[in-house]
Amino acid sequence: MRETVKLNYGGAVNAALARSLDDYPEAILFGEDVAVPGGVFGVTRGLRKAFGPRVFDTPISETAMLGAAIGSAMMGRRPIVEIMWMDFMFVAFDQIVNQASNVRYVSEGRLTAPLTIRTQQGNAPGACAQHSQNMEALLLHVPGIRVAMTSTPQDAYDVLRSAVACDDPVVVIENRSLYAGPKAEIEIGGDPAPIGGHRLRRPGADVTVVTWGSITSRVLAGADRLAAEGIDAEVIEAVWLNPFDHAAVAASVARTGRLVVVHEANTTGGFGAEVVARVVESGATLKSPPRRIGARDSRIPAAVGLAAAVLPQEDDIVSGLRAAVAG
Amino acid sequence: MTTDDHLADLHAMWRIRVLEEKILELRLAGDVVGSVHLSNGQEAVAVGVCGQLRKQDAVFATYRGHGWAMARGVPAFPILAEVLARTAGVNGGRGGSAHFSAPEYGFYGENSIVGAGAPIATGAALASTFDKSGRVVVTVFGDGAMNQGAVPEAMNFAAAMNLPVIFVCENNKYSELTPINDMVRNPDLSARATALGIPATRVDGNDAAEVAAATALAIQTARHGLGPTFIEAHTRRIVGHYIGDAQQYRPEGELEADLAAEPIVRLSHQLIASGVAADTVDAARRRAVTEIEEAARRALAASAADPATALEHLYA
Ligand SMILES: Cc1ncc(C[n+]2csc(CCOP(=O)(O)OP(=O)(O)O)c2C)c(N)n1
Ligand SMILES: [Mg+2]
């Protein structure tokens, strides 16, 4: 049943998990501190009570957690597993890069691994270098793994439901700074949409800005500032990174003639490079060179003042867009 | 151990406790930003272990590492300056509360990936076998870290290669918000070391002297080329996992019991019962307070890390 409810981002994740556990009797949900404590960010609160042993806590054993997700998925479960921080995924990367990715392909489709990995990433004030990284590009280099990243309560709900419904491994990347954000009216309870697609956050004529994740709000704030200067930016939020909606970006660039990609991840080897390359390869006529705005290639320092010098700030976005339009 | 030794342990524990309480105060006031993990209640493990180490020895700790750094001799000022993101911090604000290091004091750093310190410490011990330094390496981690693949891998590696490393497991009963006993079948974590052929011992981690005795034996074993030892130190954190943890997972009465058994209270009572003047016992606290207050004043007055330096130190 469709209904409109007021939920913040964390609440929307919780609602999507509850609905998925309802929809799929074969769904199971597990991770560190997710069940009895309800999650270190409180996002999975109440689910253990509602769904009993289908929701359970695990040891701090990411390899076993992800392996258990793959194995149980092969046997007909639909696991949703939480990796508390993207940075912790690397102790178990084999299970994603060598294992989950290969299940369908090398078995000629005889086996599948319909599993969802929920994680969250990015810097928050004072976070250390091992709790700050934006690593989506590593996953996007691995065919066989779907990847999505959300920044609004509605998408947190919709994308997670699509991920659970998807019959392949999906990594859904959230951001802890969003969980306790403001409530918004969102629609819940419909059928999950197929994976893929983008969100047009702001129509504009002068420059196409492609972005994803929590930095989207910074991009939109920058675009609003530029509107006062007469620069009209079109902002596309790529909630699905694999599959990526290259066609939508191409269509927008065909109208604006300019392209800027903004991500919190490191610039070098970031997925922004792929977005730019696809547009350039398509032979699009550009009025100015495409630009990438990302983190300066560095480790992330804990000191807030130092981190601000490494990560893209609103001013960096504004000046980057200005230069793109002037160029 | 003499009364003076006990008083020295008490002072060492008070220094850590007062440092942690100061960091809590600064965090609540907003001077310290970000996630902070305090070690209140676990001081006897750091003090007991580090008291037995020589200057050349190396400690690899976790995010709950302020006390270990201090027990290794890192002064309060650069620790406070680090958590306050000042240029004068041990790492100029790059490491922060959860990831700083001070190798000049044999403190080879905190680590915010659970279990990750164990294999690195094993490597440091491997180096000892080549450089003939006699360096012994300590790696400390929690009960929950025993379930992280890196730890058993490191333990077996050290056992197979006979490396001079001491695995110290601070069993504080919880991993974040989850009781360890819900996440293992055998609550005797030391049994895993025994199974790998590593001599293992379980000690009262709230008794610095008992921890020290176990450590002394482990050091002797390591220095004689007899390889690793595993010490499971039973202790309790008497604060949340991180600042802001509501601790709803604690059963009723647990915190009260833990507070009565915490190492500073216990050793103080023990000293007074053995005839030491209450004022002498309290002097250990007063000295720590004076020292930490002064360090905090200086750290607060120190200049913030300079953003212009943010990209320095990435490569040689
Ligand atoms: C690989 C990895 N997984 C999960 C975490 C999140 N995490 C941080 S501390 C912690 C609990 C660790 O418990 P324990 O080892 O008992 O140490 P304690 O915090 O009790 O000192 C967890 C799960 C992490 N930092 N790294
Ligand atoms: Mg613990």
mmCIF file of all heavy atoms in Angstrom, chain A residues 244-289:
data_model
loop_
_atom_site.group_PDB
_atom_site.id
_atom_site.type_symbol
_atom_site.label_atom_id
_atom_site.label_comp_id
_atom_site.label_asym_id
_atom_site.label_seq_id
_atom_site.Cartn_x
_atom_site.Cartn_y
_atom_site.Cartn_z
ATOM 1 N N PHE A 244 25.121 3.110 -14.652
ATOM 2 C CA PHE A 244 25.203 4.563 -14.692
ATOM 3 C C PHE A 244 24.432 5.069 -15.907
ATOM 4 O O PHE A 244 24.521 4.495 -16.992
ATOM 5 C CB PHE A 244 26.666 5.004 -14.778
ATOM 6 C CG PHE A 244 26.827 6.498 -14.690
ATOM 7 C CD1 PHE A 244 26.912 7.123 -13.448
ATOM 8 C CD2 PHE A 244 26.885 7.274 -15.839
ATOM 9 C CE1 PHE A 244 27.053 8.501 -13.353
ATOM 10 C CE2 PHE A 244 27.027 8.660 -15.752
ATOM 11 C CZ PHE A 244 27.112 9.271 -14.504
ATOM 12 N N ASP A 245 23.720 6.160 -15.705
ATOM 13 C CA ASP A 245 22.869 6.693 -16.769
ATOM 14 C C ASP A 245 23.671 7.632 -17.689
ATOM 15 O O ASP A 245 23.480 8.849 -17.679
ATOM 16 C CB ASP A 245 21.684 7.427 -16.126
ATOM 17 C CG ASP A 245 20.532 7.621 -17.103
ATOM 18 O OD1 ASP A 245 20.768 7.460 -18.316
ATOM 19 O OD2 ASP A 245 19.427 7.941 -16.636
ATOM 20 N N HIS A 246 24.572 7.040 -18.457
ATOM 21 C CA HIS A 246 25.394 7.860 -19.361
ATOM 22 C C HIS A 246 24.531 8.618 -20.373
ATOM 23 O O HIS A 246 24.858 9.735 -20.767
ATOM 24 C CB HIS A 246 26.407 6.981 -20.101
ATOM 25 C CG HIS A 246 27.502 6.472 -19.218
ATOM 26 N ND1 HIS A 246 28.497 7.278 -18.721
ATOM 27 C CD2 HIS A 246 27.746 5.236 -18.724
ATOM 28 C CE1 HIS A 246 29.318 6.558 -17.971
ATOM 29 N NE2 HIS A 246 28.890 5.317 -17.945
ATOM 30 N N ALA A 247 23.432 7.998 -20.787
ATOM 31 C CA ALA A 247 22.578 8.644 -21.796
ATOM 32 C C ALA A 247 22.012 9.961 -21.269
ATOM 33 O O ALA A 247 21.949 10.961 -22.002
ATOM 34 C CB ALA A 247 21.447 7.696 -22.198
ATOM 35 N N ALA A 248 21.617 9.973 -19.999
ATOM 36 C CA ALA A 248 21.048 11.199 -19.433
ATOM 37 C C ALA A 248 22.095 12.303 -19.370
ATOM 38 O O ALA A 248 21.801 13.476 -19.650
ATOM 39 C CB ALA A 248 20.505 10.922 -18.027
ATOM 40 N N VAL A 249 23.321 11.927 -19.034
ATOM 41 C CA VAL A 249 24.394 12.926 -18.977
ATOM 42 C C VAL A 249 24.665 13.451 -20.381
ATOM 43 O O VAL A 249 24.775 14.667 -20.598
ATOM 44 C CB VAL A 249 25.678 12.319 -18.358
ATOM 45 C CG1 VAL A 249 26.845 13.297 -18.453
ATOM 46 C CG2 VAL A 249 25.418 11.926 -16.898
ATOM 47 N N ALA A 250 24.734 12.539 -21.341
ATOM 48 C CA ALA A 250 25.002 12.948 -22.726
ATOM 49 C C ALA A 250 23.920 13.910 -23.222
ATOM 50 O O ALA A 250 24.224 14.932 -23.861
ATOM 51 C CB ALA A 250 25.084 11.715 -23.625
ATOM 52 N N ALA A 251 22.664 13.594 -22.902
ATOM 53 C CA ALA A 251 21.562 14.445 -23.375
ATOM 54 C C ALA A 251 21.657 15.833 -22.751
ATOM 55 O O ALA A 251 21.429 16.854 -23.420
ATOM 56 C CB ALA A 251 20.226 13.790 -23.032
ATOM 57 N N SER A 252 22.010 15.895 -21.479
ATOM 58 C CA SER A 252 22.119 17.186 -20.810
ATOM 59 C C SER A 252 23.279 18.002 -21.387
ATOM 60 O O SER A 252 23.138 19.194 -21.683
ATOM 61 C CB SER A 252 22.313 16.974 -19.299
ATOM 62 O OG SER A 252 22.575 18.201 -18.663
ATOM 63 N N VAL A 253 24.418 17.326 -21.562
ATOM 64 C CA VAL A 253 25.590 18.030 -22.099
ATOM 65 C C VAL A 253 25.325 18.518 -23.523
ATOM 66 O O VAL A 253 25.811 19.577 -23.928
ATOM 67 C CB VAL A 253 26.847 17.127 -22.028
ATOM 68 C CG1 VAL A 253 28.034 17.772 -22.738
ATOM 69 C CG2 VAL A 253 27.202 16.826 -20.571
ATOM 70 N N ALA A 254 24.537 17.759 -24.256
ATOM 71 C CA ALA A 254 24.203 18.185 -25.620
ATOM 72 C C ALA A 254 23.485 19.537 -25.586
ATOM 73 O O ALA A 254 23.617 20.346 -26.503
ATOM 74 C CB ALA A 254 23.335 17.126 -26.307
ATOM 75 N N ARG A 255 22.750 19.791 -24.502
ATOM 76 C CA ARG A 255 22.039 21.072 -24.382
ATOM 77 C C ARG A 255 22.921 22.174 -23.813
ATOM 78 O O ARG A 255 22.915 23.307 -24.275
ATOM 79 C CB ARG A 255 20.793 20.915 -23.498
ATOM 80 C CG ARG A 255 19.589 20.354 -24.252
ATOM 81 C CD ARG A 255 18.345 20.338 -23.382
ATOM 82 N NE ARG A 255 18.432 19.345 -22.319
ATOM 83 C CZ ARG A 255 18.716 19.615 -21.060
ATOM 84 N NH1 ARG A 255 18.913 20.860 -20.676
ATOM 85 N NH2 ARG A 255 18.791 18.644 -20.190
ATOM 86 N N THR A 256 23.697 21.847 -22.770
ATOM 87 C CA THR A 256 24.473 22.892 -22.081
ATOM 88 C C THR A 256 25.834 23.120 -22.720
ATOM 89 O O THR A 256 26.389 24.215 -22.626
ATOM 90 C CB THR A 256 24.700 22.519 -20.598
ATOM 91 O OG1 THR A 256 25.498 21.331 -20.551
ATOM 92 C CG2 THR A 256 23.383 22.284 -19.870
ATOM 93 N N GLY A 257 26.420 22.077 -23.282
ATOM 94 C CA GLY A 257 27.743 22.214 -23.896
ATOM 95 C C GLY A 257 28.887 22.272 -22.887
ATOM 96 O O GLY A 257 30.035 22.506 -23.251
ATOM 97 N N ARG A 258 28.562 22.050 -21.623
ATOM 98 C CA ARG A 258 29.619 22.096 -20.592
ATOM 99 C C ARG A 258 29.381 20.999 -19.570
ATOM 100 O O ARG A 258 28.238 20.671 -19.262
ATOM 101 C CB ARG A 258 29.638 23.451 -19.887
ATOM 102 C CG ARG A 258 29.918 24.621 -20.820
ATOM 103 C CD ARG A 258 29.996 25.923 -20.034
ATOM 104 N NE ARG A 258 30.256 27.052 -20.922
ATOM 105 C CZ ARG A 258 29.292 27.800 -21.475
ATOM 106 N NH1 ARG A 258 28.019 27.540 -21.215
ATOM 107 N NH2 ARG A 258 29.604 28.802 -22.271
ATOM 108 N N LEU A 259 30.490 20.485 -19.014
ATOM 109 C CA LEU A 259 30.370 19.380 -18.058
ATOM 110 C C LEU A 259 31.328 19.542 -16.886
ATOM 111 O O LEU A 259 32.529 19.777 -17.075
ATOM 112 C CB LEU A 259 30.667 18.039 -18.767
ATOM 113 C CG LEU A 259 30.734 16.806 -17.857
ATOM 114 C CD1 LEU A 259 29.377 16.519 -17.209
ATOM 115 C CD2 LEU A 259 31.206 15.589 -18.654
ATOM 116 N N VAL A 260 30.775 19.443 -15.695
ATOM 117 C CA VAL A 260 31.591 19.396 -14.471
ATOM 118 C C VAL A 260 31.100 18.209 -13.652
ATOM 119 O O VAL A 260 29.891 18.012 -13.506
ATOM 120 C CB VAL A 260 31.449 20.697 -13.644
ATOM 121 C CG1 VAL A 260 32.216 20.593 -12.329
ATOM 122 C CG2 VAL A 260 31.930 21.910 -14.446
ATOM 123 N N VAL A 261 32.022 17.406 -13.155
ATOM 124 C CA VAL A 261 31.644 16.304 -12.263
ATOM 125 C C VAL A 261 32.194 16.613 -10.875
ATOM 126 O O VAL A 261 33.346 17.044 -10.735
ATOM 127 C CB VAL A 261 32.197 14.951 -12.754
ATOM 128 C CG1 VAL A 261 31.615 13.819 -11.918
ATOM 129 C CG2 VAL A 261 31.871 14.742 -14.219
ATOM 130 N N VAL A 262 31.351 16.444 -9.874
ATOM 131 C CA VAL A 262 31.768 16.737 -8.495
ATOM 132 C C VAL A 262 31.584 15.493 -7.642
ATOM 133 O O VAL A 262 30.487 14.918 -7.604
ATOM 134 C CB VAL A 262 30.914 17.878 -7.886
ATOM 135 C CG1 VAL A 262 31.410 18.205 -6.475
ATOM 136 C CG2 VAL A 262 30.938 19.124 -8.765
ATOM 137 N N HIS A 263 32.642 15.037 -6.993
ATOM 138 C CA HIS A 263 32.494 13.979 -5.982
ATOM 139 C C HIS A 263 33.443 14.224 -4.825
ATOM 140 O O HIS A 263 34.453 14.903 -4.962
ATOM 141 C CB HIS A 263 32.636 12.575 -6.569
ATOM 142 C CG HIS A 263 33.875 12.316 -7.383
ATOM 143 N ND1 HIS A 263 35.149 12.531 -6.915
ATOM 144 C CD2 HIS A 263 34.012 11.817 -8.648
ATOM 145 C CE1 HIS A 263 36.024 12.158 -7.845
ATOM 146 N NE2 HIS A 263 35.361 11.745 -8.915
ATOM 147 N N GLU A 264 33.059 13.648 -3.672
ATOM 148 C CA GLU A 264 33.905 13.815 -2.480
ATOM 149 C C GLU A 264 35.131 12.912 -2.571
ATOM 150 O O GLU A 264 36.135 13.118 -1.879
ATOM 151 C CB GLU A 264 33.087 13.497 -1.205
ATOM 152 C CG GLU A 264 33.813 13.893 0.088
ATOM 153 C CD GLU A 264 33.040 13.539 1.374
ATOM 154 O OE1 GLU A 264 31.832 13.833 1.438
ATOM 155 O OE2 GLU A 264 33.659 12.982 2.300
ATOM 156 N N ALA A 265 35.062 11.894 -3.421
ATOM 157 C CA ALA A 265 36.167 10.946 -3.564
ATOM 158 C C ALA A 265 37.379 11.624 -4.206
ATOM 159 O O ALA A 265 37.273 12.686 -4.834
ATOM 160 C CB ALA A 265 35.717 9.768 -4.413
ATOM 161 N N ASN A 266 38.536 10.966 -4.060
ATOM 162 C CA ASN A 266 39.756 11.475 -4.666
ATOM 163 C C ASN A 266 39.567 11.716 -6.157
ATOM 164 O O ASN A 266 38.909 10.936 -6.839
ATOM 165 C CB ASN A 266 40.901 10.468 -4.481
ATOM 166 C CG ASN A 266 41.198 10.245 -3.016
ATOM 167 O OD1 ASN A 266 41.112 11.165 -2.207
ATOM 168 N ND2 ASN A 266 41.512 9.012 -2.663
ATOM 169 N N THR A 267 40.185 12.776 -6.645
ATOM 170 C CA THR A 267 40.034 13.128 -8.048
ATOM 171 C C THR A 267 40.664 12.069 -8.951
ATOM 172 O O THR A 267 40.041 11.605 -9.910
ATOM 173 C CB THR A 267 40.691 14.503 -8.303
ATOM 174 O OG1 THR A 267 40.124 15.430 -7.378
ATOM 175 C CG2 THR A 267 40.433 14.972 -9.718
ATOM 176 N N THR A 268 41.895 11.688 -8.621
ATOM 177 C CA THR A 268 42.603 10.732 -9.475
ATOM 178 C C THR A 268 41.989 9.343 -9.374
ATOM 179 O O THR A 268 41.845 8.805 -8.278
ATOM 180 C CB THR A 268 44.091 10.674 -9.084
ATOM 181 O OG1 THR A 268 44.668 11.958 -9.318
ATOM 182 C CG2 THR A 268 44.830 9.634 -9.919
ATOM 183 N N GLY A 269 41.623 8.811 -10.516
ATOM 184 C CA GLY A 269 41.006 7.484 -10.513
ATOM 185 C C GLY A 269 39.584 7.494 -10.006
ATOM 186 O O GLY A 269 38.984 6.433 -9.830
ATOM 187 N N GLY A 270 39.038 8.657 -9.761
ATOM 188 C CA GLY A 270 37.646 8.750 -9.312
ATOM 189 C C GLY A 270 36.698 8.456 -10.462
ATOM 190 O O GLY A 270 37.087 8.500 -11.638
ATOM 191 N N PHE A 271 35.439 8.183 -10.135
ATOM 192 C CA PHE A 271 34.492 7.840 -11.195
ATOM 193 C C PHE A 271 34.161 9.045 -12.066
ATOM 194 O O PHE A 271 33.693 8.896 -13.192
ATOM 195 C CB PHE A 271 33.218 7.232 -10.584
ATOM 196 C CG PHE A 271 32.357 6.547 -11.596
ATOM 197 C CD1 PHE A 271 32.787 5.392 -12.233
ATOM 198 C CD2 PHE A 271 31.121 7.063 -11.938
ATOM 199 C CE1 PHE A 271 31.999 4.759 -13.181
ATOM 200 C CE2 PHE A 271 30.316 6.429 -12.891
ATOM 201 C CZ PHE A 271 30.756 5.283 -13.507
ATOM 202 N N GLY A 272 34.469 10.233 -11.587
ATOM 203 C CA GLY A 272 34.279 11.431 -12.397
ATOM 204 C C GLY A 272 35.058 11.347 -13.702
ATOM 205 O O GLY A 272 34.600 11.823 -14.752
ATOM 206 N N ALA A 273 36.226 10.728 -13.637
ATOM 207 C CA ALA A 273 37.045 10.587 -14.842
ATOM 208 C C ALA A 273 36.315 9.753 -15.886
ATOM 209 O O ALA A 273 36.357 10.046 -17.086
ATOM 210 C CB ALA A 273 38.380 9.935 -14.477
ATOM 211 N N GLU A 274 35.613 8.732 -15.428
ATOM 212 C CA GLU A 274 34.863 7.865 -16.342
ATOM 213 C C GLU A 274 33.705 8.634 -16.988
ATOM 214 O O GLU A 274 33.457 8.521 -18.192
ATOM 215 C CB GLU A 274 34.336 6.653 -15.560
ATOM 216 C CG GLU A 274 33.577 5.655 -16.394
ATOM 217 C CD GLU A 274 34.449 4.944 -17.419
ATOM 218 O OE1 GLU A 274 35.676 4.867 -17.196
ATOM 219 O OE2 GLU A 274 33.904 4.498 -18.444
ATOM 220 N N VAL A 275 33.035 9.437 -16.179
ATOM 221 C CA VAL A 275 31.898 10.204 -16.696
ATOM 222 C C VAL A 275 32.381 11.174 -17.780
ATOM 223 O O VAL A 275 31.791 11.283 -18.856
ATOM 224 C CB VAL A 275 31.193 10.962 -15.547
ATOM 225 C CG1 VAL A 275 30.096 11.870 -16.089
ATOM 226 C CG2 VAL A 275 30.627 9.980 -14.528
ATOM 227 N N VAL A 276 33.482 11.843 -17.480
ATOM 228 C CA VAL A 276 34.053 12.788 -18.449
ATOM 229 C C VAL A 276 34.489 12.045 -19.710
ATOM 230 O O VAL A 276 34.193 12.464 -20.833
ATOM 231 C CB VAL A 276 35.244 13.548 -17.817
ATOM 232 C CG1 VAL A 276 36.046 14.283 -18.886
ATOM 233 C CG2 VAL A 276 34.736 14.518 -16.753
ATOM 234 N N ALA A 277 35.177 10.928 -19.516
ATOM 235 C CA ALA A 277 35.707 10.195 -20.673
ATOM 236 C C ALA A 277 34.583 9.749 -21.603
ATOM 237 O O ALA A 277 34.703 9.835 -22.829
ATOM 238 C CB ALA A 277 36.517 8.993 -20.195
ATOM 239 N N ARG A 278 33.486 9.289 -21.031
ATOM 240 C CA ARG A 278 32.376 8.828 -21.864
ATOM 241 C C ARG A 278 31.814 9.971 -22.718
ATOM 242 O O ARG A 278 31.490 9.779 -23.884
ATOM 243 C CB ARG A 278 31.242 8.278 -20.996
ATOM 244 C CG ARG A 278 31.592 7.023 -20.255
ATOM 245 C CD ARG A 278 31.657 5.826 -21.200
ATOM 246 N NE ARG A 278 31.961 4.641 -20.433
ATOM 247 C CZ ARG A 278 31.165 3.565 -20.367
ATOM 248 N NH1 ARG A 278 30.056 3.526 -21.062
ATOM 249 N NH2 ARG A 278 31.502 2.531 -19.636
ATOM 250 N N VAL A 279 31.709 11.141 -22.090
ATOM 251 C CA VAL A 279 31.173 12.286 -22.842
ATOM 252 C C VAL A 279 32.146 12.665 -23.959
ATOM 253 O O VAL A 279 31.747 12.882 -25.107
ATOM 254 C CB VAL A 279 30.904 13.475 -21.889
ATOM 255 C CG1 VAL A 279 30.642 14.751 -22.686
ATOM 256 C CG2 VAL A 279 29.727 13.158 -20.970
ATOM 257 N N VAL A 280 33.424 12.711 -23.624
ATOM 258 C CA VAL A 280 34.428 13.081 -24.626
ATOM 259 C C VAL A 280 34.450 12.050 -25.752
ATOM 260 O O VAL A 280 34.459 12.393 -26.940
ATOM 261 C CB VAL A 280 35.817 13.232 -23.965
ATOM 262 C CG1 VAL A 280 36.905 13.408 -25.022
ATOM 263 C CG2 VAL A 280 35.811 14.405 -22.987
ATOM 264 N N GLU A 281 34.430 10.775 -25.381
ATOM 265 C CA GLU A 281 34.462 9.709 -26.390
ATOM 266 C C GLU A 281 33.256 9.756 -27.330
ATOM 267 O O GLU A 281 33.344 9.334 -28.483
ATOM 268 C CB GLU A 281 34.482 8.330 -25.703
ATOM 269 C CG GLU A 281 35.859 7.926 -25.209
ATOM 270 C CD GLU A 281 35.834 6.619 -24.422
ATOM 271 O OE1 GLU A 281 34.740 6.159 -24.030
ATOM 272 O OE2 GLU A 281 36.920 6.069 -24.203
ATOM 273 N N SER A 282 32.138 10.264 -26.792
ATOM 274 C CA SER A 282 30.928 10.299 -27.627
ATOM 275 C C SER A 282 31.036 11.361 -28.716
ATOM 276 O O SER A 282 30.189 11.440 -29.598
ATOM 277 C CB SER A 282 29.707 10.585 -26.749
ATOM 278 O OG SER A 282 29.703 11.965 -26.377
ATOM 279 N N GLY A 283 32.095 12.199 -28.639
ATOM 280 C CA GLY A 283 32.288 13.229 -29.657
ATOM 281 C C GLY A 283 31.443 14.468 -29.430
ATOM 282 O O GLY A 283 31.278 15.296 -30.331
ATOM 283 N N ALA A 284 30.911 14.604 -28.222
ATOM 284 C CA ALA A 284 30.072 15.772 -27.921
ATOM 285 C C ALA A 284 30.857 17.062 -28.150
ATOM 286 O O ALA A 284 32.055 17.128 -27.877
ATOM 287 C CB ALA A 284 29.609 15.708 -26.464
ATOM 288 N N THR A 285 30.179 18.060 -28.644
ATOM 289 C CA THR A 285 30.832 19.359 -28.836
ATOM 290 C C THR A 285 30.744 20.122 -27.529
ATOM 291 O O THR A 285 29.650 20.361 -27.012
ATOM 292 C CB THR A 285 30.097 20.169 -29.927
ATOM 293 O OG1 THR A 285 29.723 19.270 -30.963
ATOM 294 C CG2 THR A 285 30.969 21.281 -30.458
ATOM 295 N N LEU A 286 31.888 20.472 -26.994
ATOM 296 C CA LEU A 286 31.913 21.153 -25.699
ATOM 297 C C LEU A 286 32.399 22.586 -25.866
ATOM 298 O O LEU A 286 33.327 22.851 -26.630
ATOM 299 C CB LEU A 286 32.835 20.400 -24.733
ATOM 300 C CG LEU A 286 32.355 19.001 -24.319
ATOM 301 C CD1 LEU A 286 33.444 18.263 -23.559
ATOM 302 C CD2 LEU A 286 31.076 19.083 -23.495
ATOM 303 N N LYS A 287 31.750 23.513 -25.139
ATOM 304 C CA LYS A 287 32.155 24.919 -25.218
ATOM 305 C C LYS A 287 33.345 25.215 -24.332
ATOM 306 O O LYS A 287 33.985 26.258 -24.458
ATOM 307 C CB LYS A 287 30.977 25.809 -24.791
ATOM 308 C CG LYS A 287 29.765 25.689 -25.702
ATOM 309 C CD LYS A 287 28.615 26.528 -25.142
ATOM 310 C CE LYS A 287 27.313 26.172 -25.822
ATOM 311 N NZ LYS A 287 26.153 26.534 -25.012
ATOM 312 N N SER A 288 33.612 24.322 -23.362
ATOM 313 C CA SER A 288 34.791 24.486 -22.507
ATOM 314 C C SER A 288 35.261 23.103 -22.087
ATOM 315 O O SER A 288 34.483 22.144 -22.165
ATOM 316 C CB SER A 288 34.446 25.345 -21.276
ATOM 317 O OG SER A 288 33.572 24.637 -20.418
ATOM 318 N N PRO A 289 36.519 22.979 -21.686
ATOM 319 C CA PRO A 289 37.009 21.649 -21.296
ATOM 320 C C PRO A 289 36.220 21.116 -20.099
ATOM 321 O O PRO A 289 35.891 21.891 -19.196
ATOM 322 C CB PRO A 289 38.473 21.903 -20.897
ATOM 323 C CG PRO A 289 38.821 23.240 -21.451
ATOM 324 C CD PRO A 289 37.544 24.021 -21.525
#
